[in-house]
Amino acid sequence: MLVGLASFLEGAEPAAAPAPSPWSVVVLMFHLQLGSVWASACPSGCLCTSDLLSCTDLDQVPVMLPVSTVTLDLNHNHIVRLEEESFKGLPRLEILRLAYNQVTTIQSGAFRKSSGSLLRHLDLSSNQLTVLEQHYFQDLPGLQELLLFNNRIVRVENGALNDLRNLHKVYLSHNLLTDFPFVSIQKHSHPHLSMLDLSSNRLPKLPLEEISNLPQSVQKGLYLHNNSLVCDCSMYSMFRFWEQKDFASVRFFRKEHGCQVYKMQRRIRFFLYNRFFEKCNLSGLKEQESNVSVRAGAPLLLHCITSLSGTTTTFFWLAPNSEYVVPPGNNGSLKMFPNGSLEIVAAREEDSGIYLCMAQDQDRNETREVNVSVLQHEGEAHEHFNTGFTTLLGCVVSLLLVLMYLYLTPCRCPACPKHRTPTTAALGRGMAAGPGSAQSSILTPTPPTTTEGPGRKVSTNKHVVFLEPIREQQNGRLRVGPGLLLGAEPQQRAGETDSYVSVFSDTPIMLP
């Protein structure tokens, strides 16, 4: 076997390719297996599968990690620091779990040389972080979910989330935050952000202008319950507006929204007990509609709703007459404020039209159109008067006609001779239509004067006013009166007449 291997290695027979010996195959398989073991080396104290690595009882991140790891579970360990390049050599890493450790510091570049563009879920909850510094997450552009709840965070630096442009959800509840840089999560910087959980912190006051400039998708998912808010009308107006818009943050945690009453050592749940805000003007914070109307002579405030904010943002309006308006306004008819709002002091007919708001900063600009309609006093009031007057007049006339029909009909004479009238005779051709039939009740203006069948008397003080709809169509077909049921027995027709009267009459007729 050795001779064959030597001849194979030396190439003793170049003319014909010799078949590999079994020994060479064994050596080759050994090297391949050894390389596979080295590539997928599982650290001590860890459980490794094809793409999952789970470790326990560690005080630092293992140095050598399998390159095939997709999910790295380091929960419930004793890790205090994340050193530089702690997760290098993991090009396929997508989920990193570091909850329930003692992490206090994240070194710059801790996630460098890892799959920063693929890592989408990072769980750092239940640790001991105190400040979110700007460099913590700078190497994770693909991160979508960031879990930081149940730490000791007192401050979030202004640019801590700037590099996370693909961020969808951030959980920062159960920390010690007293403020948050809302200005750093505008639409142009985080277009996919739909949830920001800041509940159960220590926020005393909210920057309402920055929050109102957040995209609608962020406001819907902004959770602020169980904070140390101080009660004021502006704060209450914002939450009431969110309640009207049926935001999930209010709908699911309505009972957990509370605030501290000024100069009182008590906390109230303002959605349940709102008597402290009865004198608040709730029109201060509202969404600007694209079409608004105002009465002539009344003031109107137009808001420039935009995602741009900051000291470098400038605003100006373009009026319907192609006139540019900048703070503080012009002509005394238009006033403009530094926050971009435009006030029409006293609306006139010529103020109707489309107003174009423009906001711009160093890199971006946004526009918004508002269509304003000015309504005139006189015409509108005259139209309302005419409509109301004609409606009232119609009701009075209808009531008078009904009363005349009910109480001004001719009196019936009990001594009148009982003879068949021409109408009764005409109806009697080919049928035994008695005076009490439904057709005679409908066609004659007064109730019948004779008895309805032998021994039956019609009540003289019952008026079948609403019996007329019997002749209307039912299910698309004209309803046939009981007197037209040819071939039916007299007793059967009389029973059917009673049923029709009792069902369709507004005033039931009592028959003895």
Side-chain angles (χ1 to χ4, degrees), residues 380-431:
E380 198 172 47
H382 181 65
E383 181 181 359
H384 290 171
F385 172 76
N386 288 341
T387 304
F389 178 75
T390 53
T391 303
L392 179 61
L393 181 62
C395 294
V396 172
V397 171
S398 301
L399 182 60
L400 290 176
L401 291 176
V402 171
L403 293 176
M404 290 173 62
Y405 179 77
L406 291 177
Y407 297 104
L408 298 182
T409 54
C411 297
R412 287 169 290 182
C413 178
C416 291
K418 299 180 180 179
H419 64 275
R420 298 179 65 183
T421 61
T423 304
T424 308
L427 291 174
R429 295 190 185 102
M431 63 188 75

Side-chain angles (χ1 to χ4, degrees), residues 99-210:
Y100 295 98
N101 280 274
Q102 287 87 42
V103 177
T104 58
T105 305
I106 301 177
Q107 292 290 328
S108 179
F111 303 101
R112 191 184 305 147
K113 295 185 179 181
S114 66
S115 61
S117 58
L118 294 179
L119 186 65
R120 53 184 174 84
H121 179 91
L122 176 58
D123 187 356
L124 282 166
S125 62
S126 300
N127 279 279
Q128 298 183 17
L129 294 171
T130 56
V131 178
L132 288 189
E133 300 183 16
Q134 188 170 355
H135 65 270
Y136 277 6
F137 313 113
Q138 61 185 3
D139 300 308
L140 301 174
L143 193 64
Q144 298 181 10
E145 297 179 352
L146 178 59
L147 282 64
L148 293 164
F149 61 88
N150 196 26
N151 274 269
R152 300 178 181 179
I153 302 173
V154 297
R155 181 167 56 90
V156 177
E157 291 189 356
N158 196 20
L161 306 177
N162 282 359
D163 295 323
L164 306 179
R165 298 185 59 84
N166 202 36
L167 202 58
H168 287 66
K169 300 178 180 180
V170 182
Y171 299 87
L172 278 163
S173 62
H174 294 276
N175 280 285
L176 306 175
L177 291 173
T178 56
D179 60 2
F180 184 84
F182 291 99
V183 70
S184 65
I185 55 170
Q186 302 300 320
K187 181 178 180 181
H188 59 271
S189 60
H190 297 82
H192 307 290
L193 187 62
S194 61
M195 175 181 285
L196 177 59
D197 186 3
L198 295 173
S199 63
S200 300
N201 277 277
R202 297 182 179 180
L203 299 175
K205 196 170 181 64
L206 300 175
L208 300 181
E209 185 174 352
E210 294 181 8

Side-chain angles (χ1 to χ4, degrees), residues 39 63-69 85-93 111-115:
V63 178
M64 297 297 295
L65 297 173
V67 296
S68 61
T69 302
E85 298 182 358
S86 293
F87 306 96
K88 66 179 180 179
L90 298 176
R92 299 178 56 191
L93 187 62
F111 303 101
R112 191 184 305 147
K113 295 185 179 181
S114 66
S115 61

Side-chain angles (χ1 to χ4, degrees), residues 350-368:
E350 55 267 26
D351 291 329
S352 298
I354 296 178
Y355 288 77
L356 182 64
C357 168
M358 300 184 183
Q360 60 183 5
D361 59 12
Q362 297 177 351
D363 303 321
R364 295 164 298 277
N365 61 76
E366 294 182 3
T367 60
R368 180 179 178 85

